[in-house]
């Protein structure tokens, strides 16, 4: 007879301890996934902190459903949440509320954004098939116009992997209606594909700028930081505003990413400017920005991208809350203007200091902190 399974879960509530639920046989629970559970009369999305077969001394409610196919929170994060709750005297639920974007705390919070793409139907395998359809549509001028417009946009046509065009763009170009396109789909001229679209700004993606050359003073500071990192985890760099510290951060980030590591570059809210974001995006190909001015859906996307590309070299530029992102391969943390009081979360709990928490988190990853 198989053992009953139980899960200890973190709920987004200020509870003094974790609650235990039983897992029905048909469900597969894993550490870090969200599960739907009932507390009183309300349903919550909770994070599984532990899976075990220890029967609790009270009767348990069952988990209602599993909300994720893969963990949403990794082991490093759970370790950090636990440390924060102990060190800053708050509950794991309060840490969870601060750590996850709103769209990941609700059962049905985040909805990916999709666009419809139009492509040639797989039955059209060569020029002859295409010409046949052009003859067939000559009696339906708008259908013919759609097919011709598509063919021009797709030139030269690769029949084994047909070009995909945005439905919106194709209809705008031809002034055709949805009904005309639907008729073409019905005749097996076109096929429609749903494609997930990023909400994140991809401006400057093609404009790449060289890494700036360091001045003699910057090179000296860079070398001293590197020497310090040889046997120490944390280094403090002094420099007045506009003295050129950013170039040193960029050079250190480049080295960490070249070793396949992730970099977290933290700034106070006020210092995270569009100018700096654009500058970094032109030098580094992979930059994620995590800022309270972003919509919740954009923050969820940065979070999900880090999970999806776990371990890929990435630079995250963010404010205090970026500490809670799912890093799995962190190599460097930069805390710029570390004296700023916005690194301290005052209210509500967890009342943490992001600089100190960054040092603890980096130690678990074996990462350096500047």
């Amino acid at each position: 007879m198989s053992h009953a399974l139980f899960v200890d879960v973190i709920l987004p509530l200020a509870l003094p301890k974790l609650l235990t639920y039983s897992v029905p046989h048909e469900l597969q629970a894993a550490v870090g996934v969200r599960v739907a559970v009932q507390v009183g009369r309300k349903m919550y999305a909770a994070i599984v902190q532990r899976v075990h077969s220890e029967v609790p001394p009270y009767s348990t409610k069952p988990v209602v459903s599993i909300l994720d196919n893969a963990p949403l929170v990794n082991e490093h994060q759970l370790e950090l949440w636990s440390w924060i709750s102990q060190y800053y005297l708050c509950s794991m639920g309060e840490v969870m509320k601060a750590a996850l974007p709103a769209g990941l705390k609700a059962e049905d919070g985040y909805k990916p954004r999709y666009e419809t793409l139009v492509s040639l139907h797989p039955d059209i395998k060569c020029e002859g098939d295409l010409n046949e359809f052009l003859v067939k549509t000559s009696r339906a001028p708008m259908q013919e116009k759609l097919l011709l417009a598509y063919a021009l946009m797709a030139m030269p046509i690769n029949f084994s992997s047909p070009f995909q065009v945005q439905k919106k763009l194709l209809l705008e170009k031809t002034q055709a209606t949805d009904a005309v396109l639907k008729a073409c789909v019905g005749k097996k001229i076109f096929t429609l594909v749903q494609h997930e679209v990023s909400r994140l700004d991809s401006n400057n993606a093609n404009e790449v700028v060289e890494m700036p050359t360091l001045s003699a003073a910057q090179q000296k500071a860079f070398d001293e930081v590197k020497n310090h990192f040889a046997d120490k985890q944390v280094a403090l760099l002094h420099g007045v505003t506009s003295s050129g510290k950013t170039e040193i951060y960029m050079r250190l980030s480049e080295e960490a990413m070249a070793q396949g590591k992730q970099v977290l570059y933290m700034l106070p809210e006020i210092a995270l400017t569009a100018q700096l974001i654009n500058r970094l995006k032109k030098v580094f190909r992979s930059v994620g920005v995590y800022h309270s001015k972003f919509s919740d859906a954009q923050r969820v996307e940065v979070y999900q991208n880090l999970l999806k590309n776990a371990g890929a070299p990435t630079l995250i530029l963010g404010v205090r809350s970026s500490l809670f992102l799912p890093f799995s391969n962190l190599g460097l943390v930069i805390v710029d203007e570390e004296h700023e009081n916005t690194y301290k979360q005052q209210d509500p709990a967890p009342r943490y200091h992001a600089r100190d928490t960054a040092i603890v988190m980096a130690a678990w990853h074996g990462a350096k902190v500047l």
Side-chain angles (χ1 to χ4, degrees), residues 265-277 280 288-294 316-320 322 337:
Y265 182 164
M266 280 203 299
L267 292 127
E269 294 266 351
I270 199 161
L272 188 47
T273 60
Q275 191 183 355
L276 177 64
I277 293 167
L280 290 172
V289 184
Y290 202 73
H291 196 294
S292 56
K293 286 197 177 74
F294 277 20
I316 295 289
L317 186 63
V319 293
R320 184 177 64 214
S322 58
E337 302 189 39

Side-chain angles (χ1 to χ4, degrees), residues 143-343:
Q143 290 178 26
E144 183 185 36
K145 194 175 180 183
L146 263 184
L147 185 51
L148 282 168
Y150 171 87
L152 280 170
M153 288 163 103
M155 284 296 181
I157 296 172
N158 176 354
F159 291 97
S160 60
S161 174
F163 172 72
Q164 295 180 329
V165 62
Q166 286 173 310
K167 172 185 156 182
K168 196 172 123 199
L169 185 68
L170 187 63
L171 294 182
E172 273 172 13
K173 223 173 173 56
T174 54
Q175 299 294 296
T177 61
D178 254 343
V180 175
L181 181 59
K182 209 171 170 186
C184 289
V185 171
K187 287 181 177 176
K188 294 190 173 180
I189 297 171
F190 291 128
T191 185
L192 303 180
V193 182
Q194 290 298 309
H195 171 69
E196 193 176 332
V197 198
S198 173
R199 290 174 168 91
L200 304 175
D201 174 30
S202 59
N203 286 355
N204 311 313
N206 302 321
E207 191 184 344
V208 179
V209 173
E210 285 297 302
M211 180 67 65
T213 310
L214 299 183
S215 67
Q218 286 171 325
Q219 187 64 49
K220 183 173 182 284
F222 174 79
D223 292 340
E224 283 184 23
V225 169
K226 291 282 291 177
N227 288 338
H228 197 83
F229 278 160
D231 58 355
K232 302 252 186 333
Q233 188 218 341
V234 185
L236 177 63
L237 175 66
H238 290 277
V240 297
T241 306
S242 301
S243 59
K245 296 187 297 295
T246 308
E247 286 77 9
I248 297 168
Y249 303 157
M250 286 162 78
R251 188 57 60 90
L252 288 164
S253 300
E254 181 189 41
E255 285 197 358
M257 288 169 77
Q259 289 163 14
K261 297 286 186 180
Q262 297 166 328
V263 176
L264 172 58
Y265 182 164
M266 280 203 299
L267 292 127
E269 294 266 351
I270 199 161
L272 188 47
T273 60
Q275 191 183 355
L276 177 64
I277 293 167
N278 289 337
R279 187 179 175 194
L280 290 172
K281 281 187 173 179
K282 285 174 185 173
V283 175
F284 299 101
R285 291 183 65 178
S286 182
V287 177
V289 184
Y290 202 73
H291 196 294
S292 56
K293 286 197 177 74
F294 277 20
S295 72
D296 186 65
Q298 287 173 308
R299 289 204 296 276
V300 171
E301 201 167 312
V302 172
Y303 190 104
Q304 299 276 35
N305 284 348
L306 259 182
L307 268 183
K308 245 183 266 176
N309 308 311
T314 305
L315 186 139
I316 295 289
L317 186 63
V319 293
R320 184 177 64 214
S321 56
S322 58
L323 268 177
F324 294 113
L325 286 166
F327 295 104
S328 54
N329 188 23
L330 198 59
L332 174 69
V333 181
I334 295 158
V335 187
D336 195 17
E337 302 189 39
E338 55 91 27
H339 57 278
E340 284 289 338
N341 65 358
T342 53
Y343 281 124

Side-chain angles (χ1 to χ4, degrees), residues 346-365:
Q346 306 287 359
D347 241 5
R351 296 171 179 86
Y352 67 100
H353 194 317
R355 177 201 59 202
D356 298 353
T357 308
I359 291 169
V360 171
M361 177 180 76
W364 287 325
H365 283 271

